[in-house]
Amino acid sequence: MEDTSAGVIERVVQRTGGKIVLLVADGLGGLPHPETGLTELETAETPNLDRLADEGVTGLHVPIAPGITPGSGPAHMGLFGYDPVRYEIGRGVLEALGIDFDLREGDVAIRVNFATVDEEGNVVDRRAGRIPTEKCAELASKLDTIDVEGAEVLVRPVKEHRAVIVLRGEGFDGGLDDTDPQATGVPPLPLRPEGPGQERTAAALETFLERARPVLASEPRANAILMRGIAARGRIPTFEERFGLRAAAIAEYPMYRGVAGLVGMTVLPPAESTEALVRALADAYADFDFFFLHFKKTDSTGEDGDFDRKVEATARFDTVVPGVLSVEPEVLLVTGDHSTPSALASHSWHPVPVVLRAKTARRDAAKRFGEAECLRGGLGIVRSVDLMPIMLAHALRLAKFGA
Amino acid sequence: MEDTSAGVIERVVQRTGGKIVLLVADGLGGLPHPETGLTELETAETPNLDRLADEGVTGLHVPIAPGITPGSGPAHMGLFGYDPVRYEIGRGVLEALGIDFDLREGDVAIRVNFATVDEEGNVVDRRAGRIPTEKCAELASKLDTIDVEGAEVLVRPVKEHRAVIVLRGEGFDGGLDDTDPQATGVPPLPLRPEGPGQERTAAALETFLERARPVLASEPRANAILMRGIAARGRIPTFEERFGLRAAAIAEYPMYRGVAGLVGMTVLPPAESTEALVRALADAYADFDFFFLHFKKTDSTGEDGDFDRKVEATARFDTVVPGVLSVEPEVLLVTGDHSTPSALASHSWHPVPVVLRAKTARRDAAKRFGEAECLRGGLGIVRSVDLMPIMLAHALRLAKFGA
């Protein structure tokens, strides 16, 4: 699973060359409709993507490894050229990114469930009866005022019974096991630190929990806290360090902005329509070398299991292409982060169609943009982490390896 | 980046089986002509290669990793079945091989620039005004007489201001940083050894430089030496050790002969025409199991950016095939070491067409030998290091792995 070009790419990256646009339709890949034998993408009217496929080079990418279904975090890390297993993003970190929290290097982020415990301290309801989000916000704001020596503890609501705690300070480690027992009738699990960093983390969290107890004591339902996915925001080499690129991200949803921010992209304000997306690209075009543009609807309609609406979303996505081409990037790569077949109503492991357009691209026999047609493509089936070197190469941003 | 079959191939290699010819057209792959949509190879008349494609199995290979453009050294190491990153050949070593220098294991080879320094010792011209090659030869031959205790120092001219120094003796290491400051107005950088082997190397080179100073003092331009690419010729398992093959190389250009020699091939005298190439193969055929034949013109015409002349060179290459087939090798594999599209006038990262002919080969749908057609091939897109196991297998030279 190591990046194929690991150890090589750093040595050949140049800071000169063309501009690159990576246009991502979340969950793009699909499965055939039983009646037509065509996937959502193959069913949709996509004249602009088809022209790209005809004129450019196509293929498919495997997000993590064959058969592995990725979450959105690892899927995007792969697209960004970071081995998603080596640069694994902890659950707590993803949850914090998902609420647009400005996580700093070294912060430890924790997913939190408000829960109900009885007088013996045994869990009665792991989700505190799904308290309303307003209640969650009220409690989070109270807990946020708690002080712990040597640490800043930040508490933010997410939704219903879910919240995020961020521990900020010197020398805290993540990786501790959850305190959520995943069962009722038993007490929350204790924190079990290993090593000095985790001990510091556990001590700070225990102090926090102790001081949270009186705050929550009078709550009929949300009278306890369960912790999950305790994770540090590790050091990730930035896009600029790794690829010599000044990169910008334009995405509507916090999670994608968050992952882009993790790799050091400048996160531009969210574009709330496809027109706004293209305008934002044009406005920022002079200031960056690389643009990550994210389109969400292809995934959410797939997750809903709605074939027809995914077809519509895909056709809508297609209309973005001319606007993106109008800035004349040297390299345009269009793909998804993973497949989300409406037949499965979930992410899947199926390879994702890719099309790359550049003057330096070798053409292939693919005439339309679709799963079956991309199998005829000149890129073959590659892993997602290989797409960054391929984009950089076509933008003439990589020097020769060896003489 | 590891060879897919590393750790396996050694265990299944047998010393029996058929003979193999690896016929390499340097820089074979290309990019489409904007008017015709056909690459150089697809444009050229290649009836013999087309017949191979029709009757054999085709595919493409990626020289190093997706997007990575290889130099000729690493590209050939890959074709020879050696991971080009693990078995990286230093610049100094390649330079020495390029002038047909008989480098031995443990030798440290250094690329040298003659340069001009002022009275303060600051570099004025990093290339000594590109002195004529004759001047370079005269200076190299003077410097070659310098003695250094515990070392043999060999100095050879390359071209204009470029020369090679080889340090021969016990316990010398390469890998020291260049003394070339890559700038003028500053003195050459000092040697900064790390570890005992490098310290011995630095001490010997410093003594040499000290004794070279009076030799060059009266030179108006070439009065200093800058060192680059200080590299040891490491231990590389030979073709015979690794693959059980007695191998021979027939190549016109020194660099390719050099790399073949590095992996222990017997380097036959250069053939200066395609007819001579075929004759040399026939003459040596009884004595070896494996033959590497190298054809250069497809690369040099591509490097010149001359589409039409690359087409001509490719057609010329095609005429070699019947002669090669006349010796009736059990396996013939024809490919390039990398692509050199005339549109880029340089090496590139694009996958390289491969055709393999053997009685043991499974046929595929490809009818002609070209980039697009080979995408239909039965070998798929493989990495260059995988071609050796594929050749060995088709020659029935690999035993079963496991029972």
Side-chain angles (χ1 to χ4, degrees):
Chain A
M1 264 319 301
E2 266 305 300
D3 335 14
T4 319
S5 59
V8 174
I9 192 81
E10 300 79 353
R11 293 170 53 186
V12 295
V13 156
Q14 302 180 135
R15 297 192 58 95
T16 57
K19 298 203 183 206
I20 300 169
V21 174
L22 168 63
L23 175 59
V24 175
D26 207 292
L28 180 67
L31 279 171
H33 194 284
E35 281 165 30
T36 64
L38 298 175
T39 66
E40 298 89 332
L41 175 58
E42 289 165 349
T43 306
E45 283 286 315
T46 55
N48 298 299
L49 291 166
D50 292 345
R51 191 168 319 121
L52 290 182
D54 186 20
E55 295 173 0
V57 65
T58 66
L60 294 122
H61 78 83
V62 172
I64 312 277
I68 306 300
T69 295
S72 298
H76 274 82
M77 288 301 280
L79 288 182
F80 297 159
Y82 294 77
D83 182 325
V85 178
R86 176 164 172 206
Y87 295 103
E88 193 176 343
I89 307 172
R91 293 268 170 173
V93 170
L94 274 176
E95 192 86 345
L97 297 178
I99 54 163
D100 243 343
F101 189 94
D102 182 24
L103 214 54
R104 305 187 190 158
E105 200 182 312
D107 284 356
V108 170
I110 302 141
R111 297 170 79 190
V112 158
N113 269 16
F114 285 111
T116 316
V117 297
D118 62 18
E119 300 92 69
E120 276 87 56
N122 290 325
V123 176
V124 177
D125 184 336
R126 289 179 50 246
R127 297 185 184 85
R130 295 192 186 271
I131 49 167
T133 303
E134 301 74 52
K135 184 69 184 173
C136 178
E138 176 206 320
L139 295 175
S141 123
K142 280 188 192 165
L143 295 172
D144 192 49
T145 62
I146 292 174
D147 284 328
V148 170
E149 296 72 19
E152 200 175 345
V153 186
L154 305 144
V155 186
R156 299 287 180 274
V158 177
K159 200 182 172 185
E160 297 177 343
H161 57 285
R162 284 161 49 210
V164 167
I165 295 178
V166 173
L167 193 63
R168 183 168 286 167
E170 288 296 308
F172 293 124
D173 279 353
L176 292 94
D177 287 343
D178 297 352
T179 68
D180 183 349
Q182 298 279 353
T184 53
V186 292
L189 300 169
L191 286 161
R192 289 202 189 81
E194 286 170 23
Q198 288 195 353
E199 274 161 25
R200 268 191 293 275
T201 305
L205 291 178
E206 272 156 9
T207 306
F208 172 80
L209 285 173
E210 214 165 275
R211 293 177 188 172
R213 215 160 285 139
V215 179
L216 301 178
S218 58
E219 289 296 323
R221 294 191 290 180
N223 64 353
I225 286 171
L226 302 178
M227 295 182 172
R228 303 160 66 194
I230 304 173
R233 189 202 139 153
R235 164 97 190 110
I236 300 175
T238 67
F239 232 61
E240 177 128 26
E241 289 164 351
R242 201 169 155 89
F243 303 121
L245 294 169
R246 298 168 301 160
I250 311 175
E252 192 181 345
Y253 281 66
M255 225 280 299
Y256 309 98
R257 291 207 300 275
V259 177
L262 273 189
V263 299
M265 292 191 197
T266 298
V267 180
L268 300 176
E272 286 176 11
S273 68
T274 49
E275 293 76 12
L277 188 72
V278 168
R279 230 173 10 247
L281 170 66
D283 289 348
Y285 195 67
D287 300 329
F288 298 93
D289 310 306
F290 181 97
F291 296 85
F292 158 56
L293 310 185
H294 184 263
F295 179 87
K296 177 69 180 173
K297 289 274 183 323
T298 31
D299 179 58
S300 40
T301 49
E303 293 253 21
D304 290 344
D306 192 330
F307 191 95
D308 293 340
R309 283 192 49 238
K310 189 172 178 199
V311 169
E312 275 169 44
T314 308
R316 178 85 189 120
F317 174 67
D318 181 75
T319 66
V320 180
V321 173
V324 172
L325 286 177
S326 72
V327 301
E328 298 182 6
E330 276 76 11
V331 173
L332 168 61
L333 188 139
V334 185
T335 190
D337 55 341
H338 53 74
S339 295
T340 305
S342 44
L344 298 179
S346 69
H347 292 196
S348 82
W349 63 92
H350 300 88
V352 189
V354 180
V355 59
L356 182 151
R357 180 203 159 104
K359 283 214 181 88
T360 51
R362 191 186 275 167
R363 291 177 68 169
D364 57 35
K367 299 272 171 241
R368 300 194 55 230
F369 191 50
E371 287 83 347
E373 190 80 355
C374 284
L375 284 170
R376 308 169 71 192
L379 296 175
I381 302 180
V382 298
R383 289 175 321 144
S384 61
V385 285
D386 291 328
L387 293 176
M388 268 307 299
I390 288 171
M391 285 183 256
L392 290 163
H394 284 88
L396 301 179
R397 287 183 163 271
L398 300 182
K400 195 159 63 174
F401 176 76
Chain B
M1 268 311 306
E2 267 305 299
D3 337 13
T4 318
S5 59
V8 174
I9 192 81
E10 300 80 353
R11 294 170 54 186
V12 294
V13 156
Q14 302 179 136
R15 297 190 60 92
T16 58
K19 300 205 182 207
I20 300 169
V21 175
L22 168 63
L23 175 59
V24 175
D26 207 293
L28 179 68
L31 278 172
H33 194 284
E35 280 165 29
T36 64
L38 299 175
T39 66
E40 298 90 332
L41 175 58
E42 290 164 348
T43 305
E45 283 285 315
T46 55
N48 297 299
L49 291 166
D50 292 345
R51 191 167 322 119
L52 290 182
D54 187 18
E55 295 174 359
V57 63
T58 66
L60 295 123
H61 79 82
V62 172
I64 311 276
I68 306 298
T69 296
S72 298
H76 274 82
M77 288 301 280
L79 288 182
F80 296 160
Y82 295 78
D83 182 325
V85 178
R86 175 163 173 208
Y87 295 102
E88 193 176 343
I89 308 171
R91 295 265 171 172
V93 170
L94 274 176
E95 192 88 342
L97 298 179
I99 55 163
D100 243 343
F101 189 94
D102 181 24
L103 215 52
R104 303 187 192 159
E105 199 182 312
D107 284 357
V108 171
I110 301 140
R111 296 171 80 191
V112 158
N113 267 15
F114 286 110
T116 316
V117 297
D118 62 18
E119 301 92 67
E120 277 88 56
N122 290 324
V123 177
V124 177
D125 185 336
R126 289 179 50 245
R127 297 184 183 85
R130 297 192 185 270
I131 49 167
T133 302
E134 301 75 52
K135 184 68 182 173
C136 179
E138 175 205 321
L139 295 175
S141 117
K142 281 188 192 165
L143 295 173
D144 192 49
T145 63
I146 293 174
D147 285 327
V148 170
E149 296 71 20
E152 200 176 346
V153 185
L154 305 144
V155 186
R156 298 287 180 275
V158 177
K159 199 181 173 187
E160 297 178 341
H161 56 286
R162 284 162 46 209
V164 167
I165 295 177
V166 173
L167 194 61
R168 182 168 287 168
E170 288 296 307
F172 293 124
D173 279 354
L176 292 94
D177 287 342
D178 297 352
T179 69
D180 182 349
Q182 298 279 353
T184 52
V186 292
L189 300 170
L191 286 161
R192 291 202 188 80
E194 287 170 24
Q198 288 196 353
E199 273 162 25
R200 270 191 292 276
T201 305
L205 291 177
E206 271 157 11
T207 306
F208 171 81
L209 285 173
E210 214 165 274
R211 293 175 188 172
R213 215 159 285 139
V215 179
L216 301 177
S218 59
E219 290 296 323
R221 293 192 290 180
N223 64 353
I225 286 171
L226 302 178
M227 295 182 174
R228 302 159 66 193
I230 304 173
R233 190 202 136 152
R235 163 96 190 111
I236 301 174
T238 67
F239 232 61
E240 177 128 25
E241 291 164 349
R242 201 170 155 91
F243 303 121
L245 294 168
R246 298 167 303 159
I250 312 174
E252 192 181 347
Y253 282 64
M255 225 280 297
Y256 309 97
R257 290 208 301 276
V259 177
L262 274 189
V263 298
M265 292 190 197
T266 298
V267 180
L268 301 176
E272 284 174 12
S273 69
T274 49
E275 293 78 10
L277 188 72
V278 169
R279 232 175 8 247
L281 171 65
D283 289 348
Y285 196 67
D287 300 330
F288 298 93
D289 310 305
F290 181 98
F291 295 86
F292 158 56
L293 311 184
H294 184 262
F295 180 87
K296 176 70 179 172
K297 288 274 184 322
T298 32
D299 178 60
S300 42
T301 50
E303 292 253 21
D304 290 345
D306 192 330
F307 191 97
D308 294 340
R309 282 192 51 238
K310 189 173 177 197
V311 170
E312 276 170 43
T314 307
R316 177 85 188 121
F317 174 68
D318 181 74
T319 67
V320 180
V321 173
V324 172
L325 286 177
S326 71
V327 302
E328 298 182 6
E330 276 75 14
V331 173
L332 168 61
L333 188 139
V334 185
T335 189
D337 55 340
H338 53 75
S339 294
T340 305
S342 43
L344 298 178
S346 68
H347 293 194
S348 82
W349 63 92
H350 300 89
V352 190
V354 180
V355 60
L356 182 149
R357 179 203 157 103
K359 283 213 181 89
T360 51
R362 187 186 282 167
R363 292 178 66 169
D364 57 33
K367 300 272 171 238
R368 300 193 55 230
F369 192 50
E371 288 82 348
E373 191 80 357
C374 284
L375 284 171
R376 307 168 71 190
L379 297 174
I381 302 179
V382 298
R383 290 177 321 146
S384 61
V385 285
D386 292 329
L387 293 176
M388 267 307 298
I390 289 170
M391 285 183 259
L392 289 163
H394 283 88
L396 301 180
R397 287 183 162 270
L398 299 183
K400 193 157 63 177
F401 177 76

